[in-house]
Amino acid sequence: MNMTASKAIKLSWVALMQKAILIRLLIPIGLAIAISLGLLSWGWPLVSHEFVPFLNNVVVIHWIFSHLDTWLGFSLLTAFALFLFIILIFITTYFILILLTSLILVPLLTPVIQKNYFPGLVETYELTWFDGLKNTLVATMIFLAALIIGSPLLFIPGGQIVYPFLLNSFLSKRIFPLDAAQNYATTLEYKKLILNERPSLWTLAFLTNGYVYIPILNFLAAPLIALAFIFFCLGKINEYRTTN
């Protein structure tokens, strides 16, 4: 079977019919929801009682929003702060879910996928869990640095959608291939995967990160993205060995 990005996505959806896979997918989701609720309950009083009054003390901001508030009949600055806070919580929660998926879910899923779909694929252990952890930490630091440096883009119309989409696509494309391949690919096979399949990996990242913007489905986005990457990467490694 010639593995492509579209085939990997299709297989990832079909695999959800298996109870063993579906149950594993729910583990990082439950943890991420609990963390996000904690952030919301802790952060909103801080934003409403500290951040909004601080902005109101800035003369230019106070002048602009006081006139708009009088015209609209409600505090536009508070509504805008709430909107940005929710976006930041959403980005942070998704980021946390990516990490939980990388460190917990993928190691739980790959043996199941390998056994059911690629039974002839032999483990090599040339790439270790430590390699995956180091890759995840480096990708995380790049993600956070880019998020902080590019945060002004979140204030530009459309930037709240486009910029997080690009960052999340980079993160999943950087993290999940190594997570999926680390127990099954040799070092040379992994290098071949990253170099030869670069366009397909980006295509897979862009297509699957669209899940983030679909209501309800966005709660399952990171695990579904990881599942598609597992199928793609294991499928490609299996191809390399069967064609040699």
Side-chain angles (χ1 to χ4, degrees), residues 27-41 93 96 100 219:
I27 295 174
I29 294 172
L31 291 173
I33 289 175
I35 293 171
S36 65
L37 290 176
L39 289 174
L40 279 170
S41 62
T93 301
I96 292 171
L100 292 174
F219 291 104

Side-chain angles (χ1 to χ4, degrees), residues 52 76 92 154 162 194 204 238 241:
V52 172
L76 182 61
T92 303
L154 299 176
V162 176
I194 296 301
L204 187 59
N238 191 57
R241 295 183 186 176

